[in-house]
């Protein structure tokens, strides 16, 4: 029995490794470019009538020369560190605000039956439906003209959080729905208030979903570039994606810098995900349903 | 507290509240209408005088211009001040302190710029063969003091501009009709009286009393509105008489001064009375005559913009009435009081949503009903309104394919083709994302599997790295000669594919890239959702002898639904509007066949500058998705756990 | 647009305020530069501050190119934004037509300023007879060749094809010539050689002309018949190929110089004469960046003075030598350091046969249909005549929609 299980896992490992390598192949190209010290992707160099192995060697994403110059350039040419820090602050604020607002709303949608509930849920969905291309000017009017929140963290945080909330509400509501109501009922019988139930019972049980929505909210703010460049009025307040975009667009594109910057920018996401991972394996255990 | 019986009846309150709102809104609308008419009338008179001026000084030399300017101000007392500017020269001015003629001073730059602007407007209108730029600028910064700027000509060519300040506060120009506010009050109380006698049931079915209440509402509202409409037209007609009289008086003075002869021919056009594009309005003939009946018809035409707004007000009023007499209002209020805590939980998120999402929506949707382009976006909103024309142009174009000798040629620019591609794109992407994500999540949820954490972190990398660069890498991988994918095909002895040349292969490039980008998200969502399934359910099932497939089918899938469905619904919406990938990878190649609706809307807005048309496209996208959303929530409501 | 009285009152008030405060005028400058260009423009701003001896303070803000136009269109018409901004001429027509974005500055300009520029530069800043900005620098493509592969650059297309054929070996991915030939901007050099135009004098669309068809046929001859160019060109492909020594000659602009690998010994030359077009030279399009006074600026005169400084010889020398820009001030090309700089000189030489890209708003509608048409031709799905006819019809349709009468 034990042997069979290991065998099965070996097969599973093989499949997973294969898939992971395939999935990471484009990422390897990004890495290769970032460590090449060059600005353009290396081309496949093949002799006439190449053999299978020559072709295979050619498609391996390995730079001709290794160099970290792209990284050092990206880091030193502009105040990239400062921008990364801005991004971290803005994204974390977005995450906290978005997840908090979404949790309360999702709890109400999941646990209470009230008129306008379906419409309310639909409203959150509806907000994702209008193509964003035409939203820039009205958003500018509200945030910068009316609220005078141009050039501030909070202006961006508000916009990003509202962008992220619909998904978070829907996701959390779905998850809350799977948490059996009996747990709460017994707590109510024990005299716990709604708030206590929400805080002490529901939120801990919903950790996996909260982790996912947190990651999502973070990503929403993390990669956004156009609003950040339009709303901010001083270079010190730019975010990392804005800084990255300086390398491309217009006439010339420094793809090597962009790749190096992208690698830097994705590291915090990986770190965050590593932190959030442990919540993906907790959640409902057999004991809590009782 | 003891209330009289009629006060408890819903018909009384329903009629009272709905009529109050309807009448108040209508009264406000008509007030605004009369004000607007008056403003137009004032501007019309000012423009008339300015046109006369410009005609009188055309083709005169500097001295003669100065002389005429002074003379005209004498016999036309409405003119407060006026200046003539030609290039960088101040040619003439009625203000002696200006000591014209002289060079413009540095702080008089706006005059020079305005002169250039009007010259360009004139040339553009002629060059393009359509009239789209205003050649008369009217400003009224202080009520009654109107400033008109317009070109004057030299031998038929643009010479410079005349800027006139005109005073229109003379009582003779007042066209407002005396009105007492008694009528709406009378109607209101009359309706209330009726309402007091009606006894509708509080049930949700129609009864004669409810019908009566609706009839009373319609009768009162429509009667009042018709009366106001008639009145408005009367104001127009009166206004025209005032303009005609003023015209004749002024024209005779110009005639006497010998600057402009008065044409006494009712058939020739009046060149003074023009719109801001200097086209004759054709409301008064050159001899000053006008027919009230003809004019009345035009007045009705001019006031037609009010009617749709009236409809909206009436519908709103009826809506309120129905809400009250059918007892919905009462029940809604009771429900609100009962569930107040739920609304408090939702309020913060909802408020943010309303401010930041629904205002931009309203902006975009309103734009869709106009003909706004880059070239006319500075015009006032109501001048740009065109109703449903954009939607007709988008949805009514069935020119989907052409039959030629070589077979059928699809018209890739057609809306329905793009819609088809968009739906196909959405379905295939979501399918790939969910399937791959699900399989991976299941694999990574295997108990006792080592290295789960490493796999998970590695597999979210496609999501973590900015897609701007990964899209470029994917595009590079599909290059026919240097791309990796064709190299692999050749490794196995297959023919290389020109990926971006064919409709299908180009579509595949987009789907491959987007599928790759979106599976990590789905994987994470499903991983999280799997945690909500209690282990003991599987154990129980195993004990009862359920095999793997049965456990998947009867435990995993049903329990995933509550979290999986929101994720699917949202990714459908996102993928439908996924702009980046199409734009960066295939660019819609070949020949725009693989554009999706949102990239089309983007091109319309930012390449063709047809903002309104793009907004209409976006609105159509929105409606399609809304229909999907409503449908999906209906379907998935059945899956709610309790 | 006030009357004289109002202006005078305002002027008196303004004068009073400035005397009362005697503060430095704060100017904001927007640009989309990075690297050396950014450093130099900041240096020029500092230089201006020191010249004005505390009477002006300049704050610069760099904006990523992809967000730049959106940021301008969102901010300036709503009363926000900079006092001065730098942008190429391609958006000028659109901004003028939509209004409230760029301030006309012809009124401020004196004769000397009119005359200080290289020929054609001020035309790019002029829209329908009114000047809206001062030109700062120009870009055009030219011939860049790998000295290891090409000994002497070709003077005409016959030589070009001969040299290129010798270098081409399609099987190992080596070619004689590479440029982004399906991109209309790059193709325009060939089109202009044949005398093709996008708009005529009066702004009418004349895209579908026999000259333009001939130019596409010429391009197809190089690609298909001579086979000297790679398939599916793109910016990155051309760049990679040149850097790896897989192509002898490319047509590319000054922006590309920084991307050339240090291993490649490259030379620059004027684009060849097209023998097939009656020995007319290839005439690439000039992209001319100008400095504009923003319509929302509260201090337009001070803003103009700064713009004039940016276009001056002093700023021009800095921007050319340190910022590696090709400045528009004619005087700087007499400077020894500029004249002896082979890159600046090469692009200045190309200027003798080059012309400004149209600055009409309608131009943005041309790119995508023409690119589609060229791709169709290159992929053999259509003939040059038919593809161009279709493209012209599509562009005309968009233009008609824009030129709607009221």
């Amino acid at each position: 029995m034990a042997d069979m299980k290991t065998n099965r896992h070996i097969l599973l490992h093989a499949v997973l490794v294969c898939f992971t390598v395939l999935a990471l192949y484009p990422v390897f190209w990004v890495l290769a470019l970032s460590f090449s010290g060059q600005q353009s992707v290396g081309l496949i160099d093949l002799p006439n009538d190449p053999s299978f192995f020559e072709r295979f060697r050619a498609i391996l994403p390995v730079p001709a020369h290794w160099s970290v110059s792209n990284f050092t350039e990206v880091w030193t040419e502009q105040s990239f560190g400062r921008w990364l820090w801005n991004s971290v602050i803005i994204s974390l604020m977005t995450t906290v605000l978005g997840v908090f607002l979404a949790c309360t709303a999702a709890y109400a949608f999941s646990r209470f039956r009230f008129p306008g509930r379906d419409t309310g849920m639909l409203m959150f969905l509806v907000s994702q439906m209008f193509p964003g291309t035409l939203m820039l000017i009205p958003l500018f009017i509200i945030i910068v003209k009316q609220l005078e929140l141009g050039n501030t963290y909070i202006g961006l945080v508000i916009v990003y959080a509202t962008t992220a909330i619909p998904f978070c509400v829907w996701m959390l509501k779905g998850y809350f729905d799977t948490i059996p109501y009996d747990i709460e009922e017994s707590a109510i019988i024990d005299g716990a208030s709604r708030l206590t139930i929400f805080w002490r019972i529901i939120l801990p049980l919903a950790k996996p979903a909260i982790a996912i929505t947190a990651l999502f909210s973070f990503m929403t703010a993390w990669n956004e570039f156009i609003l950040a460049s339009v709303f901010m009025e001083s270079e010190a307040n730019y975010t990392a994606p804005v800084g990255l975009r300086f390398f491309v667009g217009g006439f010339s594109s420094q793809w090597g810098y962009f790749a190096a910057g992208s690698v830097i920018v994705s590291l915090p996401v990986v770190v965050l995900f590593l932190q959030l991972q442990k919540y993906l394996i907790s959640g409902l255990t057999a004991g809590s349903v009782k | 507290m003891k209330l009289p019986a009629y006060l408890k009846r819903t018909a009384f309150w329903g009629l009272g509240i709905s009529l109050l709102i309807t009448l108040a809104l209508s009264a406000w609308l008509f007030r605004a209408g009369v004000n607007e008419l008056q403003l137009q009338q004032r501007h019309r008179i000012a423009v008339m005088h300015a046109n006369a001026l410009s005609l009188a000084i055309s083709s005169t030399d500097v001295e003669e211009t100065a002389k005429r300017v002074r003379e005209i101000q004498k016999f036309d007392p409405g003119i407060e001040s006026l200046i003539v500017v030609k290039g960088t020269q101040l040619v003439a001015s009625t203000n002696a302190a200006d000591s014209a003629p002289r060079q413009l001073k540095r702080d008089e730059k706006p005059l020079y710029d305005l002169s250039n602007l009007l010259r360009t407007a004139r040339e553009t209108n002629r060059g393009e063969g359509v009239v789209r730029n205003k050649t008369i600028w009217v400003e009224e910064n202080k009520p009654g003091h109107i400033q008109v700027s317009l070109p004057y000509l030299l031998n038929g060519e643009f010479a410079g501009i005349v800027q006139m300040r005109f005073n229109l506060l003379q009582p003779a120009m007042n066209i407002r009709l005396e009105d007492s506010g008694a009528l709406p009050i009378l109607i209101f109380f009359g309706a209330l009286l009726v309402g007091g006698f009606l006894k509708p049931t509080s049930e949700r079915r129609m009864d004669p009393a409810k019908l009566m209440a609706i009839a009373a509402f319609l009768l009162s509202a429509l009667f009042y509105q018709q009366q106001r409409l008639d009145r408005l037209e009367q104001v127009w007609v009166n206004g025209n008489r005032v303009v005609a009289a003023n015209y004749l008086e002024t024209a005779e003075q110009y005639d006497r001064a010998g600057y402009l002869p008065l044409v006494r021919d009712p058939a020739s056009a009046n060149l003074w009375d023009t719109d801001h594009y200097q086209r004759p309005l054709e409301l008064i003939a050159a001899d000053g005559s006008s027919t009230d009946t003809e004019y009345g018809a035009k007045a009705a035409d001019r006031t037609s913009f009010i009617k749709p707004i009236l409809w909206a007000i009436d519908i709103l009023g009826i809506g309120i009435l129905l809400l009250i007499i059918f007892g919905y209002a009462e029940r809604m209020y009771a429900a609100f009081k009962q569930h107040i805590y739920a609304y408090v939980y939702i309020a913060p998120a909802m408020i943010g949503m309303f401010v930041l999402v629904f205002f931009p929506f309203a902006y975009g949707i309103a734009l869709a009903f106009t003909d706004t382009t880059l070239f006319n976006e500075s015009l006032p909103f109501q001048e740009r309104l065109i109703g449903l024309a954009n939607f007709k142009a988008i949805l009514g174009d069935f020119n989907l394919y052409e039959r030629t000798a070589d077979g059928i040629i699809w018209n890739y620019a057609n809306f329905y083709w793009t819609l088809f591609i968009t739906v196909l794109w959405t379905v295939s992407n979501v399918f790939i994302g969910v399937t791959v994500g699900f399989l991976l999540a299941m694999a990574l949820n295997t108990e006792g599997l080592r290295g789960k954490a490493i796999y998970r972190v590695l597999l979210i990398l496609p999501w973590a790295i900015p897609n701007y660069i990964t899209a470029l890498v994917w595009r590079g991988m599909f290059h026919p000669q240097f791309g990796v994918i064709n190299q692999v095909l050749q490794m196995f002895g297959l023919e290389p594919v020109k990926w971006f040349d064919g409709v299908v292969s180009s579509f595949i490039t987009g789907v491959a890239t987007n599928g790759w980008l979106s599976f990590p998200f789905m994987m994470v969502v499903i991983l999280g959702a799997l945690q909500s399934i209690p282990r003991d359910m599987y154990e129980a099932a195993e004990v009862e002898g359920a095999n793997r497939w049965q456990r998947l089918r009867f435990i995993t899938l049903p329990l995933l639904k509550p979290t999986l469905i929101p994720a699917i619904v949202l990714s459908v919406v996102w993928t439908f509007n996924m702009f980046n990938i199409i734009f960066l990878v295939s660019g819609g190649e070949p020949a725009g066949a693989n554009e999706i609706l949102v990239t089309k809307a983007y091109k319309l807005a930012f390449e063709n500058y047809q903002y309104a048309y793009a907004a209409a496209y976006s609105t159509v996208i929105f409606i399609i998705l809304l229909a999907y959303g409503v449908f999906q929530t209906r379907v998935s409501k059945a899956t709610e756990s309790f | 647009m006030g009357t004289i009285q109002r202006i005078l009152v305002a002027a008196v008030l303004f004068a009073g305020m400035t005397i009362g405060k005697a503060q430095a005028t704060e100017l904001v400058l927007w640009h989309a530069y990075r690297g050396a260009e950014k450093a130099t423009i900041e240096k020029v701003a500092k230089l201006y501050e020191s010249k004005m001896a505390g009477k002006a303070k300049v704050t610069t803000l760099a904006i990523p190119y992809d967000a730049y136009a959106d940021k301008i269109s969102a901010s300036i018409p709503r009363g926000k934004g900079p006092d001065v901004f730098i942008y190429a001429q391609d958006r000028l027509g659109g901004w003028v037509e939509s209004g409230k974005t760029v301030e006309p500055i012809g009124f401020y300009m004196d004769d000397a300023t009119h005359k200080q520029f290289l020929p054609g530069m001020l035309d790019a800043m002029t829209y329908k007879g009114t000047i809206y900005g001062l030109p700062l620098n120009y870009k055009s493509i030219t011939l860049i060749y790998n000295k290891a592969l090409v000994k002497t650059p070709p003077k005409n297309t016959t030589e070009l094809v001969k040299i290129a054929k010798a270098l081409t070996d399609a099987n190992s991915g080596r070619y004689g010539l590479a440029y982004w030939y399906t991109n209309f901007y790059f193709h325009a050099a060939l089109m202009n050689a044949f005398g093709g135009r996008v708009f005529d004098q009066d702004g009418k669309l004349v895209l579908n002309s026999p000259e333009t068809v001939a130019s596409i046929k010429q391009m197809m001859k190089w690609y298909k018949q001579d086979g000297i160019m790679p398939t599916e060109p793109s910016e990155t492909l051309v760049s990679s190929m040149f850097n790896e020594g897989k192509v002898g000659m490319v047509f590319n602009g000054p922006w590309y110089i920084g991307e050339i690998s240090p291993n490649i010994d490259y030379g620059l030359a004027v684009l060849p004469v097209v023998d097939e077009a009656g020995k007319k030279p290839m005439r690439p399009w000039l992209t001319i960046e100008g400095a504009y006074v923003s319509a929302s600026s509260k201090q337009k005169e001070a803003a103009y003075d700064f713009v004039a400084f940016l276009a001056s010889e002093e700023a021009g020398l800095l921007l050319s030598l340190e910022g590696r820009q090709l400045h528009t001030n004619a005087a700087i090309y007499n400077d020894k350091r500029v004249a002896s700089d082979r890159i600046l000189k090469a692009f200045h030489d190309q200027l003798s046969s080059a012309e400004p890209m149209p600055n009409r708003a309608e131009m943005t509608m041309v790119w995508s249909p023409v690119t589609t048409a060229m791709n169709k031709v290159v992929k053999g799905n259509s003939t040059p005549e038919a593809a161009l006819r279709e493209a012209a019809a599509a562009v005309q349709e968009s233009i008609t929609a824009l030129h709607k009468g009221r």
Side-chain angles (χ1 to χ4, degrees), chain B residues 323-572:
Chain B
L323 275 183
I324 296 174
I325 58 178
F326 279 88
Y328 288 115
E330 221 172 318
R331 283 191 287 274
M332 266 163 67
Y333 178 70
F336 180 76
K337 257 176 59 179
Q338 191 197 337
H339 297 287
I340 185 95
Y341 52 89
Y343 296 107
V344 170
Y345 275 91
I346 294 166
M350 227 23 168
I351 290 169
M353 209 91 279
F354 260 99
V355 175
L356 285 180
V357 177
F358 294 100
F359 169 70
F361 270 35
Y363 182 96
I365 291 173
L367 199 60
F369 292 94
T370 67
D371 66 348
T372 308
T373 63
L374 176 80
F375 283 16
N376 63 21
E377 61 175 342
S378 53
L379 285 178
F381 183 76
Q382 66 267 26
E383 284 185 37
R384 289 181 271 138
L385 268 181
I386 51 161
L388 291 167
N390 287 329
F391 295 98
K392 276 184 206 150
I394 295 169
L395 300 175
D397 177 11
F398 294 106
N399 176 26
L400 194 51
Y401 57 85
E402 252 178 290
R403 250 178 242 285
T404 61
D406 308 331
I408 287 175
I409 296 177
W410 292 95
N411 175 15
Y412 299 141
N414 186 279
F415 170 79
Y416 294 100
W417 170 268
T418 314
L419 179 64
F420 167 72
I421 290 289
T422 313
V423 171
L424 207 62
W425 157 261
T426 308
V427 171
S428 27
N429 273 310
V430 174
F431 178 78
I432 291 177
V434 172
T435 317
V436 176
F438 179 76
L439 293 176
L440 284 174
M442 289 301 284
L444 292 180
N445 207 40
T446 313
E447 245 172 294
L449 183 75
R450 287 176 169 221
K452 274 194 236 182
I454 298 168
Y455 286 123
R456 274 198 293 248
V457 170
L458 290 178
L459 286 172
I460 65 144
L461 279 178
W463 186 22
I465 293 186
N467 62 22
Y468 198 79
I469 184 139
T470 41
L472 177 96
V473 169
W474 275 93
R475 193 187 156 84
M477 295 197 331
F478 283 113
H479 190 277
Q481 188 171 6
F482 300 101
V484 167
I485 291 170
N486 275 352
Q487 292 300 326
V488 173
L489 289 181
Q490 282 166 299
M491 262 162 73
F492 297 104
L494 297 168
E495 279 297 300
V497 178
K498 293 201 163 189
W499 288 98
F500 299 111
D501 286 14
V503 177
V504 178
S505 59
S506 180
F507 182 80
I508 290 172
T509 65
V511 172
T513 312
N514 199 49
W516 179 81
L517 279 168
S518 54
F519 84 80
F521 168 75
M522 275 298 171
M523 179 190 85
V524 172
V525 166
I526 296 169
L527 260 178
L530 284 173
Q531 310 309 320
S532 72
I533 303 172
R535 304 258 181 280
D536 44 5
M537 291 188 84
Y538 289 113
E539 285 158 20
E542 223 163 331
V543 170
E544 282 175 30
N547 63 20
R548 271 163 152 272
W549 167 249
Q550 284 167 327
R551 274 176 278 158
L552 180 74
R553 175 73 187 73
F554 296 106
I555 301 176
T556 313
L557 285 181
L559 286 174
L560 274 185
K561 251 186 185 172
T563 28
L564 197 54
I565 284 190
I568 291 177
V569 172
L570 276 153
S571 23
V572 165

Side-chain angles (χ1 to χ4, degrees), chain A residues 41 77 229 232 235 238 254, chain C residues 34 38 62 71 240 244:
Chain A
V41 193
E77 187 203 285
S229 12
M232 291 307 187
E235 282 170 36
Y238 278 164
Q254 283 76 39
Chain C
R34 56 161 285 272
K38 183 182 176 196
K71 186 162 171 128
S240 300
E244 293 175 22

Side-chain angles (χ1 to χ4, degrees), chain B residues 41-79:
Chain B
Q41 211 74 256
R42 283 206 300 273
H43 288 185
R44 195 175 147 203
I45 292 171
V47 165
M48 202 166 79
H49 285 251
N51 270 323
L53 240 171
S54 137
L55 289 171
I57 64 161
S58 71
S59 303
T60 55
D61 59 27
V62 175
E63 266 173 51
E64 180 66 14
T65 308
K67 190 185 139 240
R68 289 193 177 191
V69 160
R70 279 194 303 275
E71 286 298 315
I72 291 170
Q73 197 198 15
K74 267 183 213 152
F75 67 68
D76 192 349
I79 298 177

Side-chain angles (χ1 to χ4, degrees), chain B residues 124 127-128 132 374-375 606-609, chain C residues 89-95 97 127-128 184 198-199 202-205 207 358-370 394-404:
Chain B
T124 304
E128 287 170 9
R132 65 174 176 89
L374 176 80
F375 283 16
F606 295 102
E607 282 179 8
N608 289 3
Y609 297 131
Chain C
Q89 89 268 34
D90 55 338
R91 290 260 176 177
L92 178 60
W95 282 329
E97 292 285 356
Y127 184 73
K128 294 188 174 171
F184 190 42
V198 179
F199 302 107
D202 306 322
K204 292 255 176 332
L205 187 79
L207 190 61
N359 63 7
R360 309 183 66 87
E362 293 87 342
M363 192 61 204
T364 48
M365 300 168 192
V366 174
W367 300 112
S368 155
V370 176
V395 178
Q396 189 56 56
E397 196 183 335
S398 313
I399 291 179
T400 313
L402 202 58
H403 291 180
K404 209 173 146 198

